[in-house]
Amino acid sequence: MLVWAGAAGWTSFSTRAEVQRVLDGRLVEAARMVAALDIPASGPVRRLAPAPYSRQLSCQIWSLNGALIGQSTGAPDAPLAGGAPGFSSRQIGDEQWRVYTHVDAARGIRVMVGDSLAVRQHLVNDLMLGLLLPAAAGLVALAVLLWFGVRSGLAPLGRVARAIELRSPHTLEPLAVDPVPEELRPLVQAMDDLLARLEGARRAERDFVANAAHELQTPLAGLKTQAEVARRATDPAMRDHALERIAIAVDRTSRLVRQLLELARQEGREAEPANCFACVRDVVNGVAGDYAHLAATGSRSIVTACGLRDVDLAIDAEALRLALGNLVENALHHGGKGPVRIECAANDGLELRVIDGGAGIAAEEVERVRRRFERGPRAMSGGTGLGLSIVEAAIAPAQGVLKFRPDDAGFAAVLRFPSHRVRISSNGAS
């Protein structure tokens, strides 16, 4: 409406100015035309006979000595102008005149041609009305057409909105909206993709809760059974054995709960901030110290071979420590005899390798043991099946990847990070 009104206003002002210029030009042409006629500078006053149409111009011919020579029908008897050549305005009675005066000194005449400003204004108003009425009608018609057009164009969007509004929170099937215009198809497809991802996430959550409940049920049932045995036992050896089994079940339950909390915390983390870096060497040494006691209980050791100095990785230090620690713990529990080795290598990225002397994981078992609560065929009974899930969740924000491969010393679990996540100083290698 603002654009349309602005265009109509601009047209009105420009047309009004153009009409005034044309009417003034008509006065000039009429005055010069009359002056070109063969009119004597003296004699009786000539008056034109009444015309059967309404005249819009009034003309007077005066001699230079002030005598009226001739005038058009309807022209006032008083002079239309003061006598100076050019345009002028004059009030005669109740009427305002716009007058052009042409002086012909050679013939001794002065021609005055004038427009009644009331007649001129009436003409301009009629012209403006003829311009603005179609503009107003066009604006109304345009508004109606726009309203119907926008309403029709947004009708599919309204159907999509109603389809979403009427859905149950438990319904995650794709939107059943048909037909879908080409412009809305990407939106509907994106919504369907989102619903599919939500369904997958909800299914994974249900499976996680069910598996966690199942995993907790076993040690809790064992705790209850051993507690009953210890309460009713009269043999001190049997009571001690039952209490020892209770301690083992408590340890297993505690480890399961701890790993569940760690997994939930790691999956809730967002991408690492740009200024978050962890010193790789410090993390490796810290993990070796954390699990030294566990290694010693099994008559094993942890050997570090991280020859990288001042190498930082764009990852939270605690997340890297958690991931590496879970791999070391798995190697200590499930690996063969001999030391567990932690190696570092910076070559087109960064690799952290945890190597043990065990047989490792068969290629056909790798994908299965990556899933939650899944254990390898040679895993000990006290395992939770969450260690690898925690590792992958911890390194995911840093675009890390967990791989397994045979090694000369046994079997290696490898954490690999892309080169743009690694920061190495000028003294980075030793």
Side-chain angles (χ1 to χ4, degrees):
M1 290 184 66
L2 289 175
V3 172
W4 194 274
W10 177 79
T11 301
S12 173
F13 285 116
S14 62
T15 302
R16 184 183 297 271
E18 185 65 19
V19 169
Q20 296 287 358
R21 187 186 67 80
V22 170
L23 293 179
D24 283 347
R26 185 182 63 163
L27 293 179
V28 174
E29 291 180 2
R32 291 177 177 175
M33 187 181 299
V34 172
L37 299 176
D38 186 13
I39 301 174
S42 60
V45 177
R46 301 181 181 184
R47 290 183 172 86
L48 296 177
Y53 55 86
S54 175
R55 296 178 179 271
Q56 294 183 350
L57 295 179
S58 293
C59 178
Q60 291 178 341
I61 306 171
W62 296 82
S63 65
L64 294 181
N65 58 10
L68 179 63
I69 298 174
Q71 65 180 11
S72 62
T73 302
D77 294 331
L80 289 173
F87 287 100
S88 60
S89 296
R90 185 177 179 84
Q91 180 80 25
I92 301 177
D94 295 333
E95 199 166 9
Q96 186 77 18
W97 292 83
R98 172 75 169 170
V99 182
Y100 178 76
T101 302
H102 177 76
V103 177
D104 189 342
R107 298 176 58 195
I109 60 174
R110 180 182 291 111
V111 179
M112 301 177 185
V113 180
D115 259 343
S116 171
L117 290 184
V119 175
R120 176 180 285 205
Q121 189 62 40
H122 182 71
L123 175 64
V124 172
N125 290 340
D126 288 345
L127 181 60
M128 291 300 100
L129 189 62
L131 287 173
L132 295 179
L133 276 181
L139 179 59
V140 174
L142 181 62
V144 173
L145 291 176
L146 282 174
W147 186 80
F148 278 109
V150 172
R151 182 181 181 184
S152 175
L154 293 181
L157 187 59
R159 292 200 298 271
V160 173
R162 286 191 296 273
I164 296 174
E165 183 180 0
L166 295 175
R167 292 173 73 90
S168 167
H170 304 290
T171 304
L172 295 178
E173 287 79 12
L175 296 174
V177 180
D178 190 65
V180 179
E182 186 66 27
E183 295 81 359
L184 287 180
R185 188 167 289 113
L187 172 63
V188 175
Q189 290 176 350
M191 288 294 299
D192 289 342
D193 291 342
L194 175 62
L195 291 173
R197 293 196 299 271
L198 289 175
E199 175 62 27
R202 193 169 70 174
R203 188 183 305 111
E205 182 180 357
R206 289 197 302 264
D207 294 343
F208 179 79
V209 172
N211 290 331
H214 176 73
E215 291 293 327
L216 284 170
Q217 183 178 4
T218 301
L220 290 177
L223 276 172
K224 182 177 180 181
T225 300
Q226 295 300 327
E228 288 292 331
V229 171
R231 185 171 65 87
R232 297 180 180 183
T234 57
D235 184 6
M238 183 180 294
R239 184 183 299 108
D240 291 343
H241 179 73
L243 292 175
E244 182 181 356
R245 300 303 301 174
I246 289 175
I248 293 174
V250 168
D251 289 341
R252 181 182 177 187
T253 305
S254 175
R255 183 165 181 257
L256 176 60
V257 172
R258 174 175 57 84
Q259 288 196 322
L260 286 172
L261 293 175
E262 289 174 349
L263 181 60
R265 184 170 64 251
Q266 295 304 319
E267 288 185 338
R269 289 168 58 235
E270 299 180 353
E272 303 294 350
N275 59 349
C276 179
F277 284 88
C279 178
V280 175
R281 194 170 188 179
D282 291 347
V283 171
V284 170
N285 293 334
V287 170
D290 292 341
Y291 291 90
H293 177 71
L294 179 61
T297 59
S299 301
R300 303 179 67 184
S301 62
I302 300 176
V303 179
T304 61
C306 186
L308 300 177
R309 294 178 182 173
D310 301 325
V311 176
D312 297 330
L313 181 64
I315 188 174
D316 180 71
E318 288 302 318
L320 181 60
R321 192 162 181 161
L322 178 64
L324 194 60
N326 271 274
L327 293 181
V328 170
E329 186 175 1
N330 283 345
L332 291 173
H333 283 306
H334 311 302
K337 302 298 182 180
V340 173
R341 185 178 178 87
I342 305 176
E343 295 182 353
C344 308
N347 183 18
D348 191 23
L350 177 68
E351 283 191 356
L352 297 177
R353 311 184 191 109
V354 178
I355 306 170
D356 63 70
I361 304 173
E364 61 273 13
E365 294 288 332
V366 170
E367 290 304 318
R368 187 178 69 84
V369 298
R370 288 177 184 270
R371 296 196 293 266
R372 298 170 182 174
F373 302 105
E374 293 284 353
R375 305 177 183 88
R378 291 181 297 276
M380 65 178 188
S381 59
T384 63
L386 290 175
L388 298 184
S389 298
I390 294 174
V391 171
E392 292 186 324
I395 65 176
Q399 301 175 1
V401 178
L402 173 62
K403 297 182 177 181
F404 301 98
R405 61 173 180 244
D407 189 85
D408 295 338
F411 190 77
V414 182
L415 300 179
R416 181 166 182 81
F417 300 91
S419 56
H420 67 271
R421 308 289 300 189
V422 183
R423 184 176 65 184
I424 305 177
S425 67
S426 58
N427 299 323
S430 65

